[in-house]
Amino acid sequence: MAESPDQQELNIKDEYELWRKNCKYMYEFINETALTWPSLTVQWLPTSDTANEAINARLLLGTHTSGEGQNHLKVASTQLPVKGSGKKVSSKIKITQKLECSSEVNRARYKPQNPDIVATINGSGELDFYNLKTNEKFGHVAPHSQNGYGLSWSSYKANYLLSSSDDHTVVLTNAGELDKNNGRIHKFTAHSDIVNDVKWHSFDENLFGSVSDDKQLLLFDIRSPGNPAITFVNNESKGINSLSFSPFSRNLIALGNTNSNINLLDLRKLSKSSTPLHTMMGHGDAITCLEFSPHKDGIVASGSQDRRVILWDLTKIGEEQTQEDAEDGCPEIFMMHAGHTGGVTDLSWCPFDDWTLASVADDNIVHLWEVSQSLVKETPVNPQDSELE
């Protein structure tokens, strides 16, 4: 029988209380900050400074007011403890900057070459550009006709920004030439359904990938934008929600599916009929966000509608387990962050403090957390390209 709403609420509350009791075993620190409105997006800004044995850090957040209030792009400040210092700091976040937005902020991402420049995409598929230093919006274009979520700046080509939308398209925009054809370089129309995510390749400046409810991962080379260079169809999925390219292996990519599974793929062996290298199962609902760790080889974080963030260790794939361990999940599940009481909407690895993450959920709560050093004593190693063959 299906649970009543009251039973579901009770179960979520019980799970949260159990999680709180176990926090001291799992985290170096964990902070929960309640927001007035839910944020669908979170990203650590890459700049920080250290003073009095504390790291001063900032994050990008947004608002989703459902038309009940003014929406904003927000900058939040926080403090993180310096590893080994033993000093306790308050990691509670404080909103230090607010920039007005015409609509909800689905995603906000900073420009790698200049973190003061931030792009957002909203529920109408519009892109807005902000300068955090001058506290102003300097650009607005509408490359899409419907809701947009995918947003990815190029680390190699300054001002190149990819966006994706429910209108089945991906658009490449030059943010440095918004007055010329609204900055549009090319519109990619090969998908046949909602395009949920788009990302630049970690090593190849001309390659990017997009994933869609049409069950396809398409890889494009912007030098020949007409047709995808590679097409992969995941017939086992009900749709693909997110993707992440490994920052350590140029051929490794992870996909997060609507059916709650995560696929690992070898880019050298992709075709419409190919099968994943490996499938990881552990979530109970659709994957919403997915990111490889920028610090630790072979570590992946995934967020889901099941209210969980799972950290995966790819070096544990295929490891033998006792029956008792197997009941807790597959061997590659490294850690499960179970503190959110709503579906996880976004996550971000801290760029200057390894094993530290931020995550946001539909429950209006921002979580900042660092994995306990007792869990990370062994440094994992990413599978080499030769092992992917």
Side-chain angles (χ1 to χ4, degrees), residues 46-57:
T47 52
S48 66
D49 64 83
T50 303
N52 299 322
E53 297 183 322
I55 302 171
N56 296 309

Side-chain angles (χ1 to χ4, degrees), residues 65-99:
T65 68
S66 300
E68 296 179 17
Q70 175 64 51
N71 282 286
H72 291 93
L73 168 67
K74 296 181 177 182
V75 178
S77 63
T78 187
Q79 285 193 324
L80 304 178
V82 174
K83 284 184 173 59
S85 69
K87 182 179 178 179
K88 299 291 185 182
V89 302
S90 173
S91 296
K92 187 176 180 64
I93 69 170
K94 179 182 179 182
I95 304 301
T96 56
Q97 197 171 357
K98 294 167 67 173
L99 296 97

Side-chain angles (χ1 to χ4, degrees), residues 165-360:
S165 164
D166 290 8
D167 66 7
H168 306 180
T169 71
V170 172
V171 173
L172 175 58
T173 299
N174 185 339
E177 298 182 350
L178 296 178
D179 56 342
K180 252 188 233 184
N181 193 32
N182 292 321
R184 180 179 297 176
I185 297 173
H186 191 78
K187 176 178 277 194
F188 301 83
T189 59
H191 282 292
S192 59
D193 209 330
I194 293 169
V195 186
N196 295 306
D197 199 9
V198 62
K199 297 276 178 61
W200 289 100
H201 192 272
S202 300
F203 294 92
D204 191 325
E205 65 180 11
N206 296 304
L207 194 66
F208 75 85
S210 57
V211 293
S212 166
D213 279 359
D214 64 13
K215 305 181 182 181
Q216 293 188 107
L217 160 69
L218 301 182
L219 291 161
F220 290 92
D221 188 321
I222 62 173
R223 294 167 298 185
S224 304
N227 294 303
I230 300 174
T231 300
F232 168 73
V233 181
N234 189 352
N235 289 313
E236 301 301 317
S237 174
K238 298 176 182 178
I240 310 173
N241 288 340
S242 53
L243 78 158
S244 183
F245 290 99
S246 169
F248 297 101
S249 170
R250 67 183 302 121
N251 296 307
L252 183 61
I253 184 172
L255 303 181
N257 297 295
T258 304
N259 67 2
S260 80
N261 294 339
I262 296 171
N263 299 129
L264 300 177
L265 308 174
D266 184 340
L267 294 186
R268 297 165 300 182
K269 298 183 175 182
L270 282 188
S271 67
K272 285 186 177 181
S273 59
S274 59
T275 57
L277 281 175
H278 182 68
T279 297
M280 300 191 296
M281 295 176 283
H283 281 293
D285 208 335
I287 308 298
T288 54
C289 45
L290 188 68
E291 293 291 343
F292 276 94
S293 166
H295 307 288
K296 301 297 181 182
D297 295 3
I299 298 294
V300 183
S302 58
S304 168
Q305 281 292 331
D306 69 1
R307 311 186 304 277
R308 308 285 191 263
V309 175
I310 294 181
L311 303 187
W312 309 82
D313 181 354
L314 305 190
T315 67
K316 303 297 184 182
I317 292 173
E319 241 184 35
E320 291 187 8
Q321 291 180 291
T322 64
Q323 184 174 350
E324 184 178 356
D325 287 341
E327 291 174 357
D328 293 330
C330 59
E332 54 267 35
I333 294 179
F334 176 77
M335 176 187 171
M336 185 178 290
H337 175 68
H340 285 293
T341 57
V344 177
T345 52
D346 201 11
L347 62 84
S348 176
W349 289 94
C350 184
F352 46 81
D353 198 13
D354 58 359
W355 295 112
T356 298
L357 298 96
S359 51
V360 290

